[in-house]
Amino acid sequence: MSELTTQTPQPTAAELVDWLRGRVAAQTGRPAAEIDADVPLNDYGLDSVYVFGLCAEIEDQYGIEVEPTVMWDNTSLAPLADALLGLIAAR
Amino acid sequence: MSGGAARWPTGLPGVLDDAIEAAAAPGGPFHPATGARLDAREEFPADACAVLDEHAMARAYVPAELGGVPGGLPELVAALRTVARRDVTVAVAHGKTFLGSVPTWVAGTDGQRRALARRVLDGAVVSWGLTEPGHGSDLLAGRLTAEPTADGGRRLDGAKWPINNATRGDLISVLARTAPEGGPRGFGLLLVDKATLPPGSWSPLPKEPTHGIRGADISGIRFTGAEVPADALTGGPGDGLDVVLRSLQLTRTVCTSLSLGAGEHALRLAHAFAAGRAMYGTALLRLPLARRVLGRAAASLALADAASLLAARAAHCLTGEMSVVSAVVKAGVPEIVQLAVDDLAELLGARGFLTEHHEHGAFQKLERDHRIVAVFDGSTAVNRASLINQFPALARLHRTGTHDTEGLAAAVAAGPVPPLDFGALRLFSRTGCSVVQALPDAVGRLAALAAAGDVPPRVPELARALATEATAVADAMAAARPAGRDTPPGDFGTARRYERCFAGAAAALLLLADPGDQVRVTSLTAALERALELLRPGHEAPEEAYEPMLETLAEPAKELIA
């Protein structure tokens, strides 16, 4: 499926965090400005399995395949973005 | 009906069916009077389980490559259903070994898998300890700890309760906290062999009285410094939640067999009653209202059967989609069957509730037993929450109509399933749910078949109506914003509707795959009628819609004639 997705150019870490922040804001109904990249997503109400929805959006947006457990190994947006940048660069 | 024991006349389900039939003679362990007596005394059905052991039921719990039956999950579903249609309690009591073993099939090393397969084939009882007192369904709330010991093993402290076969079990797979802070990476799964634990390091917790499955060993276990070796760990020390969630995708699918069996049992009892009951100078069975109730219940079972069969085949053919499929059928199938059982109970009147009359109170027993099916292995609410979590992805994929064409073609075919690739189970489906997403495409193909006179014209009409409902459901799913807490009640209603779309789509796709089989087409058409009734409030199927199902109902079995 990933090869059918329109390629989004390689983002910078800041751009990626901003995009992720927007998705978390949309999913939780909070203003994006309130989402701190170093606070666990769990604190915003995204429980362990609810982060998988974000994972699906990441796959669609950046045309990569992500193991859902990447969301458990990186519980806040800053480390998550770091983990994803490598995957996006390797597309 | 498709998917029943008849599909494996020479396989395990057929063997079990014959053995159970023989054991249902007066005084036998599967005779209704025996079941009623044990149920009243809350006594474990040990003799009935021994019959299943004698006929190697355990082969259905083990993957084919490790010495199990060749038919995989569909054969297991058919085998357990064969047991459940005589006694749900026995099926629950014996089938638990599959649940306890699955984590090892999913995440065990080659050595662990081979060792457990040997034990299970030798008749070991395996239990699965997830829940703890006071923590409900929240897997991450568990307090039982597994701390590392000096020799590389783990020391277990804490209790698991209420657990099916916790006391009878030889082995128990335990979800334990491996990191003090817990969280999704703070739990591990350990397979504990009770015989190897030092005396005094564990104790059983007493059996809990239950409303249904009263004879089952629903108890608990407490560990006090119980040391287990390093190789007790299934997967890594932080893999517990991952392994449990993927294992549940299989166990929840298999749970549908209990509903199918209970539903068949209920239908058989009600049909026999109606055939033998004189009313207004004729048999109750000849009265239109009774015919409608029986026919509709049979259609409900055909619908539940289609959903269950396709789900069990999907485990082998659409493995990566089981996060959706298993939640859909675990929530949807017991509910569809329960509605049918409730209708049949009304037809039976007082006999449905009396414990010592009419077939030794078999109906009220199965009715109580079946209510528990909706609760264990993740309640209906838990499964719907898991489905709601996947709504945005499902809505997006439904709109595109994309689906795994190859996997779906294999899933709907009648041939043997490929081996189950346990490693392909995913926590979140990347391709959504091909069964539902393929429905619009199936409408066109069914219309072509109808135009050629190969299927009744009513079939594409029904499929088109279902596809319209599915689109409306997808729109509702797109509007949802799942975040884990405070899920709006409306989303649970949307989840229920999606489950019914899945069941209807399963019936349509199975019909499309084999339009030449007239009996099956009749049954699946009635299933489509029922799916539409369940999806459209106030809609009732045409007057004669369920009448053909009466003809497919078998003659009442011998032991049911009073």
Side-chain angles (χ1 to χ4, degrees), chain A residues 1 26-29 42-53 56-57 59-60 65-69 72-73, chain B residues 140 184-185 238 241-242 245 385-386 388-389 392-393 396-397 402 426-431 481-485 487:
Chain A
M1 295 253 304
Q27 206 179 335
T28 60
N42 193 34
D43 291 10
Y44 299 116
L46 285 182
D47 292 351
S48 48
V49 296
Y50 291 88
V51 292
F52 297 158
E57 294 199 66
E59 291 196 339
D60 266 19
E65 295 202 347
V66 180
E67 273 309 306
T69 47
W72 294 350
D73 296 325
Chain B
L140 296 183
R185 284 304 198 192
L241 185 64
D242 180 7
L245 290 176
S386 149
I388 290 165
N389 182 32
R396 198 170 57 235
L397 288 158
T402 53
R426 284 182 53 85
L427 293 172
F428 198 96
S429 173
R430 186 169 275 145
T431 44
R481 206 171 51 193
R485 296 166 199 166
T487 303

Side-chain angles (χ1 to χ4, degrees), chain B residues 270-271 273-274 284 289-291 293-294 341-352:
Chain B
H271 186 266
F273 168 71
L284 176 59
L289 178 65
R291 297 187 78 75
V293 169
L294 288 165
V341 171
D342 291 347
D343 278 356
L344 294 170
E346 264 188 57
L347 184 68
L348 278 164
R351 280 154 207 83

Side-chain angles (χ1 to χ4, degrees), chain B residues 380-443:
Chain B
T380 300
V382 165
N383 280 286
R384 287 199 173 134
S386 149
L387 184 58
I388 290 165
N389 182 32
Q390 305 179 69
F391 272 3
L394 288 170
R396 198 170 57 235
L397 288 158
H398 192 82
R399 248 185 244 128
T400 66
T402 53
H403 53 273
D404 179 345
T405 320
E406 203 179 315
L408 187 62
V412 300
V417 288
L420 205 164
D421 177 3
F422 292 89
L425 291 166
R426 284 182 53 85
L427 293 172
F428 198 96
S429 173
R430 186 169 275 145
T431 44
C433 181
S434 289
V435 171
V436 179
Q437 286 149 219
L439 187 55
D441 179 52
V443 172

